[in-house]
Amino acid sequence: MFRSLRNHNYRLFASGSAVSNLGGWMQRTAQDWLVLDLTHGSAAALGTATALQFLPMLLFGLFGGVLADRYPKRPILVVAQSIMALLALAIGILTVTGTAQVWHVYVMAFALGLVSCVEVPTRQTFVVEMVGRKDLSNAIALNASIFNLARVVGPAVAGVLIFMLGGTGPIFLLNALTFAAVISSLIFMRKAELNLAEPVPRAKGQLREGLRYVLGKQELLMPILLIGFVSMFSQSFSMSIALMAREVFSAGASSFGLASSMFAVGALGGGLLAARRAKPSRKVLLTGAISFGLFLVAVGVAPVYPVYLALLVPAGIALITVNTAANASVQLATSPEMRGRVMGIYLLVFTGGAPLGAPLVGLLSEFGGPRAGVMLSGALVLAGTGMALLMTRMIGARRRVALATA
């Protein structure tokens, strides 16, 4: 389960990521709570903030994948993490001084999204340079486990600190400090032990080349399409948790943090189960997607808060199962010189659907109530799973006809 940790560089990276992810989830919780405070509980404003954070990936995500192929990845990550630390520091100062306005949160969310366009595909493709292909699937699952361990602890800690400190400002400042851990881990890696990929020379048509490569391989196309439909609504699920806790069950900040943590407990369990698998399968991928859709519907109809909390656990297991299986499937099926661009496409659909899904869920929750928003999300995940399979077959058949007549 933990075989990737035998690698010195990955141990450094994993420990730094654990600290930084903890701060990141504390900030995510504080950001949602700050928006609700500034707008007196507006679901539409919360959806807008979530959408703005993912919109840059939709607009510029493919270019980030190209940069990940062209340049050394470790320096890119150090610069990107430093910029994100400065953004957290800025919004923290504004909030502590009482001058924060909702448009400040919008600007910060959009700026974080811009940095993520380059940072996320670079970080994803840097994993194989630390551990090699043999342990890639395990390292991806462990990364997901670290992420979700922070997701368990971070919101709960943030909820308690918001209550104790009387506001969200200190949470942003604490997150700015946590970036030092991951930046240090990158700086002190042993360069000689990295499996560095040869940078791809700059040339025309590299984006189109990446798209043609994905369209020509069904083992890439199906998981990318599937994760696009699933993530369109899973990316906004933390927003739905906030709305259900606050508006349906009248929970305070600490109880909202508990709800986020229960979802993350399931995600952590799903990540550890994924780490035991030698290789992800198509069956695991589809089972995870269908289960996530069904559990979203069940969460939406939960009659009381304890039942709601209990249902968040299997929903988390299902989501992390499909996420890790899709990520590992795509990276293992991709050649090294194409990995940055393919992951750019993967991350485009993974995060790019949020600008569509988050406002839709926010508006439905505004007019039909949070329950309607969550239930519709589940139904659309189920429909999207079927669409992904159908589109893969249609695109594959069309490409075979085109090749036969060429």
Side-chain angles (χ1 to χ4, degrees):
M1 185 181 292
F2 302 104
R3 58 188 180 275
S4 296
L5 294 175
R6 294 175 299 189
N7 184 290
H8 170 79
N9 288 333
Y10 183 72
R11 284 199 305 274
L12 280 178
F13 181 79
S15 59
S17 294
V19 176
S20 184
N21 279 321
L22 176 64
W25 275 105
M26 289 171 61
Q27 174 166 304
R28 180 66 181 270
T29 304
Q31 178 180 308
D32 288 349
W33 206 256
L34 177 60
V35 170
L36 291 172
D37 279 342
L38 292 173
T39 60
H40 307 290
S42 172
L46 192 56
T48 300
T50 303
L52 285 171
Q53 190 156 339
F54 295 107
L55 180 61
M57 186 64 75
L58 180 63
L59 300 176
F60 310 113
L62 293 178
F63 296 98
V66 172
L67 293 175
D69 279 337
R70 284 183 185 171
Y71 300 105
K73 297 174 179 59
R74 197 160 54 127
I76 292 177
L77 291 173
V78 171
V79 172
Q81 294 286 329
S82 300
I83 294 172
M84 289 191 283
L86 291 174
L87 289 170
L89 180 63
I91 194 67
I93 292 172
L94 287 171
T95 307
V96 167
T97 57
T99 56
Q101 299 179 38
V102 70
W103 69 267
H104 291 141
V105 182
Y106 291 164
V107 170
M108 185 201 71
F110 188 76
L112 280 173
L114 285 174
V115 178
S116 296
C117 288
V118 179
E119 192 272 342
V120 177
T122 303
R123 173 164 42 84
Q124 294 279 344
T125 55
F126 186 57
V127 174
V128 72
E129 295 190 4
M130 289 186 286
V131 303
R133 286 182 59 85
K134 182 180 178 181
D135 290 332
L136 177 61
S137 180
N138 176 257
I140 289 171
L142 289 181
N143 284 345
S145 299
I146 291 168
F147 179 82
N148 286 291
L149 179 60
R151 198 174 192 173
V152 172
V153 179
V157 172
V160 171
L161 289 178
I162 291 169
F163 176 77
M164 291 178 60
L165 301 177
T168 56
I171 311 302
F172 294 106
L173 298 177
L174 285 171
N175 182 46
L177 290 175
T178 64
F179 281 98
V182 70
I183 292 170
S184 298
S185 74
L186 291 164
I187 291 173
F188 291 109
M189 282 183 180
R190 297 171 183 169
K191 188 175 180 180
E193 296 181 12
L194 292 171
N195 305 291
L196 297 176
E198 193 69 26
V200 177
R202 183 170 183 170
K204 291 183 178 180
Q206 289 179 324
L207 279 178
R208 291 192 298 273
E209 184 183 9
L211 289 168
R212 285 196 298 269
Y213 184 80
V214 169
L215 290 172
K217 299 186 71 171
Q218 289 197 25
E219 61 267 37
L220 293 177
L221 184 60
M222 195 280 285
I224 286 176
L225 288 174
L226 179 62
I227 206 67
F229 284 113
V230 170
S231 66
M232 185 178 295
F233 301 99
S234 67
Q235 295 285 0
S236 61
F237 194 53
S238 63
M239 176 190 75
S240 299
I241 290 174
L243 290 171
M244 287 282 288
R246 180 168 173 148
E247 306 300 329
V248 175
F249 298 110
S250 302
S254 58
S255 296
F256 159 52
L258 175 62
S260 296
S261 295
M262 291 297 290
F263 179 70
V265 165
L268 174 61
L272 292 175
L273 288 172
R276 295 180 62 87
R277 299 188 193 103
K279 189 176 180 181
S281 67
R282 182 187 177 99
K283 181 179 179 181
V284 169
L285 186 62
L286 292 174
T287 300
I290 293 169
S291 299
F292 180 61
L294 291 173
F295 279 116
L296 279 186
V297 175
V299 165
V301 298
V304 292
Y305 198 56
V307 174
Y308 168 70
L309 293 176
L311 287 170
L312 290 174
V313 175
I317 293 174
L319 178 59
I320 204 64
T321 297
V322 66
N323 283 353
T324 55
N327 191 314
S329 296
V330 169
Q331 292 214 49
L332 288 169
T334 304
S335 58
E337 70 276 7
M338 298 296 297
R339 189 168 283 120
R341 278 164 285 178
V342 171
M343 289 308 295
I345 295 168
Y346 174 88
L347 292 163
L348 169 67
V349 301
F350 182 73
T351 60
L356 302 175
L360 175 61
V361 174
L363 287 173
L364 286 169
S365 300
E366 189 94 0
F367 295 109
R371 289 187 184 276
V374 175
M375 292 171 64
L376 179 65
S377 296
L380 290 174
V381 165
L382 294 173
T385 302
M387 284 293 295
L389 291 171
L390 179 62
M391 290 174 66
T392 300
R393 291 177 182 174
M394 290 176 61
I395 293 172
R398 179 177 293 183
R399 188 170 180 83
R400 286 192 294 271
V401 171
L403 290 174
T405 57

